[in-house]
């Protein structure tokens, strides 16, 4: 049986965060608000919970789960080598709607799906999400919907799709922007935008000192 907590009410929010923390630490799933869309969350270091997340979404391991972090510094323990380009983008857009695909640290004891040694990281700009991340640590978070169905912009929409597969629903009201994050691939020398979303190509190009056309170039890199 799942429980919905109204995070607009201080008492309910505190109770919801406590329940969500307990649920995540015991391997269960939580729906949480973010600054883009509602997310379906599991402890990133609990492979059984991540598998349950994929099953709830009816999604295969070929679409690995992104990870949300609660601070800039967290990335240092998760990434093999943090490129200067990553630091520049983090300073400019975190917390916010920018996801970075990077080479993960080889020592990490997690299983997010068929990642081929990479991980997609983001720090959300939402107080409930950040408070939960501060309590639990990095979370594997995907959009709170069944694959192929519209992403949830409210807790009710998430519950309609996921039901009792989720133990705790944190209701932070309608998603402010309801736009997915922009995804930048930083695993090669030339950054590439894989999906344009909440942060524009032009904004990213300005920070990196390059042209939007280069960021959108999908040709394989030489060398």
């Amino acid at each position: 049986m799942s429980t919905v907590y109204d995070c607009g009410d201080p008492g309910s929010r505190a109770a919801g965060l406590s329940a969500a923390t307990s649920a995540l630490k015991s391997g269960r799933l939580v729906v949480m608000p973010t600054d883009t869309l509602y997310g379906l969350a599991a402890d990133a270091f609990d492979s059984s919970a991540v598998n349950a997340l994929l099953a709830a979404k009816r999604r295969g391991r070929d679409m690995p789960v992104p990870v949300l972090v609660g601070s800039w510094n967290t990335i240092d323990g998760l990434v093999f080598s943090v490129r200067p380009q990553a630091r520049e983008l983090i300073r400019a857009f975190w917390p916010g709607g920018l996801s970075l695909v990077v080479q993960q640290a080889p020592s990490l004891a997690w299983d997010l799906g068929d990642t081929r040694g990479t991980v997609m990281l983001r720090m959300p700009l939402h107080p409930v999400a950040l408070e939960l991340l501060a309590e639990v640590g990095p979370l594997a978070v995907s959009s709170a919907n069944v694959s192929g169905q519209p992403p949830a912009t409210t807790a009710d929409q998430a519950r309609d799709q996921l039901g009792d597969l989720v133990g705790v629903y944190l209701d932070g009201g309608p998603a402010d922007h309801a736009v997915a994050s922009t995804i930048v691939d930083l695993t090669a020398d030339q950054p590439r935008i894989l999906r344009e979303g909440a942060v524009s190509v032009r904004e990213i190009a300005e920070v990196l000192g390059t042209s939007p056309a280069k960021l959108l170039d999908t040709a394989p890199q030489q060398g």
Side-chain angles (χ1 to χ4, degrees), residues 116-165:
R116 300 178 184 176
T118 67
V119 63
M120 186 160 74
L121 299 173
R122 187 169 85 85
M123 180 180 176
L125 181 58
H126 194 287
V128 173
L130 290 173
E131 193 166 341
L132 188 58
L133 288 161
E135 288 294 327
V136 182
L139 293 174
V141 181
S142 184
S143 56
N145 62 289
V146 173
S147 289
Q149 298 298 313
T153 61
T154 67
D156 285 342
Q157 289 176 7
R159 196 177 189 196
D160 287 344
Q161 295 192 50
L162 300 168
D164 288 339
L165 295 173

